[in-house]
Amino acid sequence: MSSWEVGSMRLSNVKTRSETGLDHVMQSINVLTPFGKKRMKELNPFLPGDEKALQDEFGKLEELLVLAEKKPQIAEELSETFMDMKDISFTIERSKGNALSVVELFEVKSLLLKMKRITELLEASESKLSEEFLLEDTGQLLDTLDPRQDRMHTFYIYDDFSETLGELRKRKREIEIRLRKIQKEIKLEIDRHYGITLTPKFDYTVSKSNKELVKIIKEIPELVAGDEDYLSVTFHLKGTEETDAVNQQMDQLNERIEEEELIIREKLSEEIFKHSLTLLENCNKIGALDFTLAKAVYAKQHNCIRPELVLDHQIEIEDGRHLVVEEILNAKKKDYCPVSIRLFDGVTCITGANMGGKTVSLKLVGLVAILTQYGFFVPCKKARVGLSNYIHILIGDSQSVQRGLSSFGSEMEELKEILDHSKDRSLLLIDEIASGTNPVEGLALTKSLVSYLKARPYISLITTHFDSVAVGGHIRNMQVRGLAQADFHRLEKELRYANRKERIEIIQKYMDYRLYEADNGEEIPKDALNIAKMLGIYDEIIENAKQYLK
């Protein structure tokens, strides 16, 4: 189990992180480097007592948000620099006692060039940034790997690395010229005596169908058959005593060059190892910069703000938006209706008809709380959050149904998990508990659960259809405004000629998803009957339902 999973399980389970929308946000931020992805994977939540560390995290996020807003070009260039960056931690560690290959040396040089570029961009931003983002100077090592200081993303063992290497390569070039001169003389002799012109590579290819020519060339003493396939045969210059002697010198020189290159690679690897701690620390800093910049850009794109941390266990959201739902609505070119709510230890019930957005409001509270505790800015106009020790959302679980449990059995199984794991400063989000059993027992169970939770130091937010659940002391009743202030005459007019899909969307357009706190004795709006009537349920049935309500 990864550190992300261990740390996260202390605060919430996998389902809660998914249902609240945290996983969606984590998948949506554009982390580019392997170091940033590692940072995100190892992310742990901040718990009560970690407020100072979380404030520091928010401060760093705010620094990069300011950079992204005031210097967008630099933020974009930083992102471009992060692209295609490889994790070469193993190569850096392997430099101890090993000669790195030319490819590995190229990767180290490329990383050093990216580190140099990141430093230049941060300096050009003129921003006051946390030390966690400022890279240690690696210019000396870069000069060692790039003696010509051309600062190109290539690597070659230049003659500049060693006078001995330069001298050996010079002698090799002289021998190559001498060998080529000898071969040219032989080529001219063959041309003069046999009328055959060899290629610049000193070979000659003949079609096997020309048997007479093949026979003639085979008799030329200076040539020997080499490559052959089913169509042709290629002849090459045969070695002479003079060329063999020169080639022997060449082989000896190549061995000495390889030995010298190995010595150079060993020395360069030693230098890399001397700077290994700095390099690895810089990789960690790049990870922090990449991940935090990605969070800042996401916050900028989604109008997220820095939540205010408080020591008391409470959650206050002003004009909050659930990011997943908002993205869906934006794709349909529809507006999101922001929701405000204040929660303290105790039980708060949200009542209202289906289609009223109760579940979305429940998830919004979870999203704001859990984003805060993972160091993200939140999608609100304003937010005040006291950290929780445990967050759990209980919502319909199709997977449990698929594995054989009824929806009610699934709920009870998960409710047991909540009761077993809840502790001081828990945030419990429960959606329509006991809606899958008969209403009499469901109401009794819901009332009993509310009575149990209101005496505990938890913030408990429960959505329910049962009106009387929210009656009694120490229980707050939040109601969805719904269609209470809708223009029904206009609404019915729009519905008259609409098809089934359009009718649902029209009602949603008129629905007010905002919450208000109702007195315990206040009558709950009967939006369900209104919606049923507008969707075509017969008046006789609606009127009888009203009589039963009395």
Side-chain angles (χ1 to χ4, degrees), residues 41-83:
K41 188 175 181 181
E42 296 176 348
L43 186 66
N44 282 319
F46 295 85
L47 299 174
D50 296 334
E51 285 81 4
K52 175 64 169 61
L54 181 52
Q55 291 285 23
D56 291 343
E57 181 67 21
F58 284 151
K60 288 180 276 192
L61 178 52
E62 205 157 53
E63 289 172 0
L64 293 183
L65 180 58
V66 170
L67 186 152
E69 290 175 340
K70 293 187 175 180
K71 301 290 179 77
Q73 182 63 35
I74 286 179
E76 187 176 331
E77 289 188 41
L78 278 170
S79 295
E80 290 175 359
T81 305
F82 291 150
M83 291 179 184

Side-chain angles (χ1 to χ4, degrees), residues 128-146:
K128 186 177 181 181
L129 299 175
S130 166
E131 286 291 327
E132 188 177 8
F133 304 139
L134 304 180
L135 307 188
E136 298 293 326
D137 182 24
T138 52
Q140 181 182 346
L141 180 58
L142 179 56
D143 287 342
T144 302
L145 289 174
D146 187 20

Side-chain angles (χ1 to χ4, degrees), residues 315 317 339-344 347-353 356-359 361-362 365 460-467 469-471 475-482 512-520 522-525:
I315 298 173
I317 298 170
V339 172
S340 300
I341 190 170
R342 296 175 68 223
L343 299 169
F344 306 91
V347 175
T348 300
C349 294
I350 300 179
T351 56
K358 301 188 302 296
T359 302
S361 294
L362 191 81
V365 171
S460 300
L461 181 62
I462 300 174
T463 65
T464 181
H465 282 305
F466 300 125
D467 297 355
V469 167
V471 176
I475 303 170
R476 294 173 67 227
N477 180 13
M478 303 295 295
Q479 293 181 7
V480 179
R481 292 185 183 275
D512 186 345
Y513 298 103
R514 292 176 297 169
L515 303 172
Y516 70 96
E517 187 167 357
D519 295 332
N520 282 334
E522 184 175 337
E523 182 180 355
I524 295 176

